[in-house]
Amino acid sequence: MNEADTCRRFVVPRLQTAGWDTEPHRIREQVTFTDGRIIVVGRRARRRPGKRADYILLFGPDMPVAVVEAKPEYKKPGDGLQQAKDYAEILGLKFAFATNGAGIIEFDYTTGLEREIGTFPSPGELWSRLCGDQHLSSDQAGCLLAPSYHLSGKSPRYYQVIAINRTVQVLLQGRRRVLLTMATGTGKTDVAFQICWKLWNSRWNREGAHRRPRILYLADRNILIDDPKDKTFAPFGDARWKIENGVAQRGREMYFAIYQAIARDEHRPGLYREYPRDFFDLVIVDECHRGSASDESNWREILEYFEPAYQLGMTATPQRRDNVDTYRYFGPPIYTYSLRQGIDDGFLAPYRVHRIVTSWDAAGWRPSSGDLDRFGREIPDDEYHTRDFERVVALRARTEAVAAHLTEFLRATERYAKTIVFCVDQEHADEMRRALGNRNADLVREHPDYVCRVTSAEGDIGRGHLSSFQDVERQTPVILTTSQMLTTGVDAPTVQNVVLVRVINSLTDFKQIIGRGTRVRDDYGKLFFNILDYTGSATRLFADPEFDGDPSVETEQRIDEQGRPQGQPEVLFPERDESLIDGTVEGQATFDDEHAQPRKFYFDGGQVAIASHLVYELDPDGKQLRVVRFTDYTADKVRTLFRSAAALRGEWADPHQRREIVERLAERGIDFDELARVAEQPDADPLDLLCHLAFNAPLRTRRERAQRLRTERKDFFDQYGPEARQVLEELLDKYTEHGTAQFVIPEVLEVPPISTHGNIIEIAGRFGGERELVEAVNKLQTLLYAA
């Protein structure tokens, strides 16, 4: 009896007997709770299988409490316990069960005890144990069991369920300040909505009165407020209100505001003071790492003023020196879901990092004696480096070279791939927009909004471009240039290229920026993205031991003054707003106010080349690799799978085993088309290329193998009639041109010239039947790889 039979005949009936299929309790069968890590193979991507639990037991519709793993009857009941425990720990559950249908093993995380039991515990028994362990009163348990909102058709993911339930629980138990740390793109806004929905519907409030809670949702940019209010929190209907324009409305329950609209400044005492200190029951602070908890911040005044309220902070960045105030104020996070976890689970996209270096970035730039900028000023004699470009001195040739290189990159990949270019300031963003537009004039002629700048200077026009860019159904704009505005809070799920043309020193800012590309959209083919780094920021910050989401690949490419790549990219594997606010002085100030002089020098001459282009990539398991070429990496992986070339050839000759080898190599990120391209051996047979790289065997082309088979094994062909021999000859021709993929039956029989011999049944008839046709094709492959 197999596992499916065990589940159907024994496990489900025993769970039903224990009462798990009686409302509101539920049994969820064969639950795939992760999407499966995305593996980048060459220029394509594929998913590994997601994690799947046999059964998850729910005490209420949104309250999972236990996981059950079933094994076939002939195995021991405890054989699945370790897997059940692994899943329970991922899912944040306190009870794990393993069974073979006859016996049941239980592991109870509340006691640390493992025991064999005769029947599954009832829902009431497990819930009683859980409430006792968590010190939940009956009233608190009732609020915790309030259902989530599911009418949108989008139910929370497993980690969101954990974050929602843990937050509601600690609030019910009186914890005044709470922190959630969740990577960009993992749905913090959805989590906040569900928390508010559960509390609102259960009529929780700070006083314990019979009323719905009053909740304030705070952020520092309008885009972080307007989108949640108008979209995610729409089910709250008329209970929503945005505090703005100096009006302190008190008749609603779900309030939204940006700090700037209610904070104290030199012109006003602070709109927040028009609300009583105890008016709100809960204050939610989105992107709370952005200074709201700093002791010196006047935004901190708002949090301290509403001190009677419970306060929930949400951030995407783990604790570091540059956000320690946040963690000091809110305390350690009650739950963390990291970038690395999101990528491992397949909910976030992996990425390749392209490090591109211009000659001026590599060696620095120094003006010649007497060089004047475009305003006629002499440029001070000094050596300028990447950190100075576009801050101290603006170099038009460098901007043009970057624009040319980026354009060629898009031509080589996809010209309509959504791209965000992060520049030094608004002026630099405009220069880059112009350079990119001119380089792509053929597309700009057809789509005038192909390249747009989106900064605070554009106002409503910029908002329109951004909205169109975010719309997955709209083809343009394709490229947005910006400085600070798009670093956070912008949900553009189809972004495929994040381009850095400004130095980023903060790991917090860096993680926010790359978060613009981590959204996954399977339905639009967006499974991974590229980071093109022209300043060295990504390479440096990836090396930070506190960074928790490593790159998939990095390339290095040299380019000339026209931005043209010189030679092939080297692939290396490393060791290891109130509205549309730009947020920095250099993002807005181009002129010195006192003397009305430009703040930086503008040099329009000179020639600059792209000196190098590196590509960094990790293996599919997310482990950092030593610096090695793709061919060396492939050779190393082949040697871990096979001791010798003979062992590899022996398995490769069998079509079924060959498919398994191809699959195992693909799981390790090895694609034969990419390997042939990098090794510059487009005509080599995949087997010979692998043996050559891993064991230094002679390298043969597919044509040589085919010709050898025709010459040395004529007897194989002679046993078939003329038309059957012709089909086999044409199969060999297909192999010579395209490789082993052309042996796929029946697909190969449906394309010319083989299809001219008739339909599949007619072609099989030339061999004596379908079975004989398959045997002949398999024998052909075996002989082809016999030596």
Side-chain angles (χ1 to χ4, degrees), residues 260-274:
Q260 298 92 320
I262 63 175
R264 169 183 59 85
D265 59 29
E266 63 271 19
H267 303 297
R268 55 189 180 184
L271 185 62
Y272 70 90
R273 292 183 177 274
E274 295 191 21

Side-chain angles (χ1 to χ4, degrees), residues 518-692:
T518 54
R519 271 76 168 180
V520 174
R521 284 300 297 260
D522 294 74
D523 50 344
Y524 285 86
K526 194 296 185 68
L527 294 173
F528 70 97
F529 70 103
N530 297 292
I531 300 172
L532 286 84
D533 178 16
Y534 292 90
T535 65
S537 299
T539 308
R540 173 171 44 83
L541 292 169
F542 281 139
D544 191 315
E546 296 183 52
F547 187 77
D548 69 345
D550 305 292
S552 202
V553 77
E554 181 169 330
T555 63
E556 180 168 317
Q557 173 111 59
R558 295 178 180 272
I559 63 176
D560 62 16
E561 63 270 14
Q562 301 301 320
R564 293 187 295 259
Q566 300 297 292
Q568 292 295 319
E570 185 176 3
V571 181
L572 300 180
F573 292 77
E575 284 275 9
R576 204 336 293 127
D577 324 288
E578 198 150 338
S579 75
L580 303 185
I581 289 176
D582 266 61
T584 58
V585 172
E586 55 268 67
Q588 303 177 46
T590 307
F591 289 85
D592 184 300
D593 294 333
E594 182 178 354
H595 303 291
Q597 289 291 319
R599 286 185 176 274
K600 54 189 175 184
F601 295 93
Y602 300 82
F603 184 67
D604 298 337
Q607 292 186 336
V608 60
I610 298 295
S612 60
H613 180 157
L614 283 170
V615 180
Y616 286 91
E617 185 165 311
L618 290 181
D619 71 8
D621 295 320
K623 298 177 181 177
Q624 289 184 323
L625 305 174
R626 62 187 183 276
V627 177
V628 61
R629 294 178 184 273
F630 185 44
T631 50
D632 294 334
Y633 167 74
T634 300
D636 181 62
K637 290 303 178 185
V638 170
R639 286 191 293 267
T640 64
L641 296 174
F642 303 97
R643 292 185 176 181
S644 64
L648 173 56
R649 288 193 183 100
E651 292 192 25
W652 189 273
D654 182 270
H656 301 291
Q657 293 188 57
R658 186 187 317 132
R659 279 194 291 270
E660 293 180 4
I661 295 171
V662 172
E663 181 70 19
R664 289 156 72 186
L665 292 174
E667 288 181 354
R668 290 159 174 80
I670 298 170
D671 173 75
F672 289 123
D673 291 339
E674 182 73 6
L675 182 62
R677 186 188 67 80
V678 172
E680 298 182 347
Q681 297 292 340
D683 298 323
D685 181 272
L687 170 64
D688 293 311
L689 184 55
L690 293 176
C691 290
H692 175 70

Side-chain angles (χ1 to χ4, degrees), residues 419-421 423 429-430 432-434 436-437 444 447-455 458 461-462 464-466 468-469 476-483 486:
T419 301
I420 302 179
V421 184
C423 303
D430 192 51
M432 187 62 68
R433 176 200 59 78
R434 184 178 301 108
L436 285 168
V444 172
H447 304 286
D449 62 345
Y450 180 81
V451 186
C452 297
R453 182 181 74 156
V454 178
T455 64
E458 277 76 22
I461 296 176
H465 289 322
L466 177 58
S468 298
F469 184 82
T476 58
V478 173
I479 304 174
L480 295 186
T481 65
T482 187
S483 53
L486 302 181

Side-chain angles (χ1 to χ4, degrees), residues 416-438:
Y416 284 95
K418 294 293 181 74
T419 301
I420 302 179
V421 184
F422 289 93
C423 303
V424 173
D425 55 28
Q426 294 192 43
E427 184 181 36
H428 185 212
D430 192 51
E431 293 274 355
M432 187 62 68
R433 176 200 59 78
R434 184 178 301 108
L436 285 168
N438 291 337

